[in-house]
Structure formats: C-alpha cells, structure tokens
Amino acid sequence: MWRIRTTETMVLASLEAGRLQGFSGTFHVGMIVAPDRQIIGANDFPIGGGFVARRRLGQRSLYGSVGLTAGLLVHRADTDLGVVRRVDPDFQLPLKFAWTAGRVGLTIALIQGFSVRARTYERRGVEVWKRIPYRIGLAIGLHFDVGVGRARPRHPR
C-alpha cells in the first residue's frame, strides 16, 4: 500500500462469485501493517463487499475487471496512552488483470481505497504518526477458479 508519506505492507484475501464474464459479487478482507511500529503500533483491517464487472481481453485466458466495494476499515493502534480502536466506512475500487492456466492463475491488481478519516497521533504536541484517508496499492497474487455448475451455451433466438 502506498500513501503520501509511507509504504505499507498489505495482506489481502478476496472471494468473487459469479460469471467469468459480466457482473459478479465480491468480498474482501485484509490487513495493513504500518512499518513504523516503534512509534505507534498501528494496524488497519479493511473488510467489505460489492460488485465486479469482468471481461475477457482477446482470445486468450486474460481477463480484466473493475469493481466497487463498500465496507469497514477497523483501525487499531497501540499508543503510550493505551489501545485506540476506530471503525470507519471504507470504499475500494479494485482494477484487476488475471491470467489463468487451467484453474490456477496470476492476478495483478491496482487497489484504490478511501476510508473517510485521516489518522494522526501526537506526543507532547508534536505529530509523530499520520495517515491520510486515501490509499493506493499494488497487489500480486494467485487465484483459483472453481466451477460450480455446467456452463450453458447461449443460443440466439
């Protein structure tokens, strides 16, 4: 995850259910770990669901998709004064490209997120940790395609 000031690590798992081409439902859960943990031990957990529109790109097993999800961003920070917990609305716009060989494939995604509120922590009146609400990330991972039913061919009437 890139933000204006820092680069953070994000672990993400998502599930999409629907057609190979067209609209599908999606659910995601993730964890963003702040690298500057010696100052503020902060973690963010985006959880949400929404819709994805997927299209085949050319005649190969290459697909592109764009989605829109809404959910919650659970923020937890361990500070000198104790543990701070916050829950905010969270929105994501994932843009994915997927290549599939059989049932296993490679996915590259550009994920933009917006969590409504900036986070700032101070010590003795000096700002020591800050995150803006907008984030953008690059994800690379594996995906597994599982067929549930037989595909019915479309016949023009």
Side-chain angles (χ1 to χ4, degrees), residues 1 90-93 111-115 133-137:
M1 263 309 150
D90 186 52
F91 304 96
Q92 287 191 5
L93 178 69
I111 304 170
Q112 301 177 68
F114 184 75
S115 61
Y134 177 74
R135 62 191 186 273
I136 186 167

Side-chain angles (χ1 to χ4, degrees), residues 64-79:
S65 67
V66 61
L68 180 62
T69 66
L72 300 173
L73 182 74
V74 180
H75 174 80
R76 182 191 183 282
D78 189 12
T79 68

Side-chain angles (χ1 to χ4, degrees):
M1 263 309 150
W2 290 285
R3 300 191 195 226
I4 295 298
R5 292 182 165 182
T6 62
T7 301
E8 299 173 335
T9 302
M10 179 176 181
V11 177
L12 178 69
S14 64
L15 173 70
E16 294 180 7
R19 298 175 171 248
L20 285 175
Q21 293 191 71
F23 285 100
S24 299
T26 184
F27 173 77
H28 72 271
V29 62
M31 181 173 76
I32 303 169
V33 180
D36 44 4
R37 299 193 58 77
Q38 68 276 9
I39 300 169
I40 301 292
N43 293 323
D44 289 328
F45 303 93
I47 302 166
F51 296 97
V52 173
R54 187 180 308 121
R55 293 284 301 174
R56 176 176 258 174
L57 304 174
Q59 296 298 320
R60 298 197 171 122
S61 296
L62 183 64
Y63 291 89
S65 67
V66 61
L68 180 62
T69 66
L72 300 173
L73 182 74
V74 180
H75 174 80
R76 182 191 183 282
D78 189 12
T79 68
D80 292 342
L81 302 175
V83 176
V84 176
R85 293 180 181 92
R86 300 266 194 270
V87 178
D88 292 322
D90 186 52
F91 304 96
Q92 287 191 5
L93 178 69
L95 303 170
K96 295 182 183 179
F97 294 97
W99 173 75
T100 305
R103 293 193 177 270
V104 179
L106 179 68
T107 301
I108 298 174
L110 182 70
I111 304 170
Q112 301 177 68
F114 184 75
S115 61
V116 181
R117 181 191 328 206
R119 302 272 182 228
T120 304
Y121 293 101
E122 297 179 352
R123 283 193 186 143
R124 299 181 191 158
V126 176
E127 182 181 282
V128 294
W129 194 92
K130 181 178 181 177
R131 299 296 186 269
I132 64 171
Y134 177 74
R135 62 191 186 273
I136 186 167
L138 179 66
I140 299 172
L142 294 176
H143 69 265
F144 304 96
D145 292 341
V146 178
V148 179
R150 291 186 58 101
R152 290 181 230 133
R154 292 184 178 180
H155 297 289
R157 294 182 181 194

